[in-house]
Amino acid sequence: MNIALIGRGRVATHMGKALLKAGHQLTSVNSRTLTELPQHADIYIIAVKDSALQEVIEHLCSRLQTSAPPFWEGMGVGCEDPLLVHTAGSMPLSVFDGYSGNGGVLYPMQTFSMDREVDFKEIPLFIEGKDARIRQLAESISNHVYELSTADRKYLHLAAVFACNFANHCYTLAADVLEKKGLPFDVMLPLVDETARKVHELHPKDAQTGPAVRGDQNVMQAQAALLEGTTKEIYELLSQSIQEHS
């Protein structure tokens, strides 16, 4: 397929590599105002931050509607509108309403960093939309493709925030505690790695260890006393949550 990838962030960078590896023809468009927009792509993938998505869709549709020859030429039988997809887990399919009659979602559930390579084939891709090319595209770059509605994708994204973003912030808090005593975060890595390996085999609830799940109030009180401010509140709330789920 001939694909226009709009964006220059982490998702766009890694998805672009996967698309090229899968043999697609790729045009990268980095400008939010789309001054370099190609007029004859099969699919336009919008991989920008959530706050910019609506603006980019508006610019994109405006450019496509004024292009000559018409933007749908050569795009397949029955395609009266170009296929536009976004990659945001927290944004609805309805973001295209009023702009395009052929929108879709292609959400890769993974954390991306510029300097770390990922195997896109192993990344779960969650899709939504009526155009069959969405699944065709998704299956060309991932072995794990799932259809999921906007309503359910909200919960998927929420779960990802807990499993990834909040967990990573806990690593930051651990690093802060260690740094105050001159210890490197590296000493935590075997523990972090084993915790992650266990949930491949056990339900997270069954893999839980530590003073909270044991109900060791003396240890929890002593540890909370070493903390202050928001970090102390986080410790106490997480300990309470662990006990409520035990």
Side-chain angles (χ1 to χ4, degrees), residues 13-223:
T13 297
H14 287 283
M15 185 171 285
K17 292 178 181 179
L19 290 167
L20 288 173
K21 188 175 181 180
H24 298 289
Q25 300 298 313
L26 182 64
T27 300
S28 179
V29 182
N30 294 331
S31 170
R32 183 179 296 185
T33 56
L34 309 179
T35 55
E36 303 170 358
L37 179 68
Q39 295 183 357
H40 297 290
D42 297 307
I43 302 177
Y44 296 82
I45 300 177
I46 308 169
V48 299
K49 60 183 181 180
D50 293 1
S51 60
L53 183 57
Q54 195 77 64
E55 177 189 355
V56 171
I57 290 173
E58 183 177 355
H59 280 301
L60 174 58
C61 291
S62 177
R63 287 293 308 278
L64 292 176
Q65 289 165 4
T66 58
S67 65
F71 54 75
W72 59 82
E73 270 194 11
M75 295 181 64
V77 176
C79 290
E80 296 181 353
D81 292 297
L83 174 54
L84 315 181
V85 300
H86 72 69
T87 62
S90 61
M91 298 297 287
L93 178 61
S94 61
V95 73
F96 293 106
D97 290 355
Y99 297 100
S100 171
N102 195 19
V105 179
L106 187 71
Y107 168 51
M109 196 183 67
Q110 182 56 282
T111 177
F112 297 102
S113 298
M114 284 294 193
D115 56 351
R116 288 187 61 82
E117 294 298 322
V118 297
D119 183 358
F120 222 93
K121 282 289 186 180
E122 296 304 315
I123 295 175
L125 277 181
F126 293 87
I127 62 173
E128 184 179 10
K130 63 185 179 181
D131 195 307
R133 288 175 295 176
I134 300 174
R135 174 169 286 277
Q136 181 183 353
L137 176 64
E139 291 180 343
S140 73
I141 59 176
S142 172
N143 293 329
H144 308 280
V145 177
Y146 308 89
E147 291 190 19
L148 198 66
S149 68
T150 288
D152 289 342
R153 195 172 64 255
K154 291 178 182 178
Y155 290 94
L156 176 73
H157 191 257
L158 173 61
V161 168
F162 275 102
C164 175
N165 306 137
F166 287 173
N168 190 77
H169 183 63
C170 285
Y171 299 155
T172 299
L173 297 181
D176 289 345
V177 171
L178 293 169
E179 287 171 4
K180 290 177 181 178
K181 296 302 176 182
L183 295 169
F185 183 73
D186 288 0
V187 300
M188 290 287 110
L189 294 181
L191 178 63
V192 169
D193 293 342
E194 177 58 17
T195 302
R197 281 193 294 266
K198 280 199 297 185
V199 294
H200 282 265
E201 302 173 5
L202 300 173
H203 189 281
K205 180 179 176 180
D206 297 328
Q208 187 69 57
T209 61
V213 75
R214 295 194 304 267
D216 196 333
Q217 295 296 327
N218 290 334
V219 172
M220 287 189 288
Q221 290 174 4
Q223 291 184 337

